[in-house]
């Protein structure tokens, strides 16, 4: 598994929420300004090539659904972060967040 780009992750978050849908269904919850239909279609096909998404065909239309769960991806990302930034130590991660006052909620609202 490889990390997703920001755009790929945004689409995966939507697919995890809606569970399955056509490109038009993925576009609906996206904030304005919405990307072009073709842009979303291209990203979904990239996600399919990467093994995150599959589809069911209805003639020329495709209904997409995730084949990697949100939990699987979350576990992968957290392990990667632990390995890359905290020497695979959950204790070091916890110590970092415990001492990091700038990460409280008011800074991200």
């Amino acid at each position: 598994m490889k990390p997703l780009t920001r755009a790929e992750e945004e689409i995966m978050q939507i697919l995890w929420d809606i569970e399955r849908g056509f490109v038009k269904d993925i576009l609906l919850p996206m904030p304005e300004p919405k990307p072009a239909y073709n842009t979303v279609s291209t990203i979904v096909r990239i996600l399919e090539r990467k093994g995150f998404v599959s589809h069911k065909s209805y003639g020329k239309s495709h209904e997409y659904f995730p084949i990697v769960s949100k939990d699987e991806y979350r576990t992968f990302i957290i392990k990667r972060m632990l390995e890359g930034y905290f020497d695979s130590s959950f204790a070091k991660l916890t110590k970092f967040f415990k001492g990091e006052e700038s990460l409280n909620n008011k800074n991200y609202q």
Side-chain angles (χ1 to χ4, degrees), residues 21-74:
F22 298 91
V23 172
K24 65 180 179 65
D25 300 318
I26 297 167
L27 271 164
L28 277 174
M30 294 182 103
E32 295 291 343
K34 294 183 188 292
Y37 180 98
N38 287 342
T39 300
V40 173
S41 179
T42 298
I43 294 170
V44 171
R45 284 182 275 124
I46 290 168
L47 286 166
E48 191 168 22
R49 277 197 310 270
K50 287 183 170 184
F52 282 84
V53 170
S54 190
H55 74 272
K56 182 174 181 183
S57 296
Y58 299 94
K60 292 183 179 181
S61 297
H62 294 83
E63 183 181 39
Y64 296 96
F65 53 90
I67 55 176
V68 171
S69 74
K70 191 173 190 174
D71 283 342
E72 288 173 305
Y73 187 68
R74 179 179 19 223

Side-chain angles (χ1 to χ4, degrees), residues 64-99:
Y64 296 96
F65 53 90
I67 55 176
V68 171
S69 74
K70 191 173 190 174
D71 283 342
E72 288 173 305
Y73 187 68
R74 179 179 19 223
T75 299
F76 164 74
I77 288 298
I78 290 171
K79 282 182 179 178
R80 187 164 192 242
M81 182 181 64
L82 275 172
E83 291 167 2
Y85 296 96
F86 300 99
D87 301 321
S88 298
S89 169
F90 187 73
K92 287 182 181 180
L93 172 75
T94 304
K95 183 178 178 182
F96 169 79
F97 280 113
K98 186 176 180 184

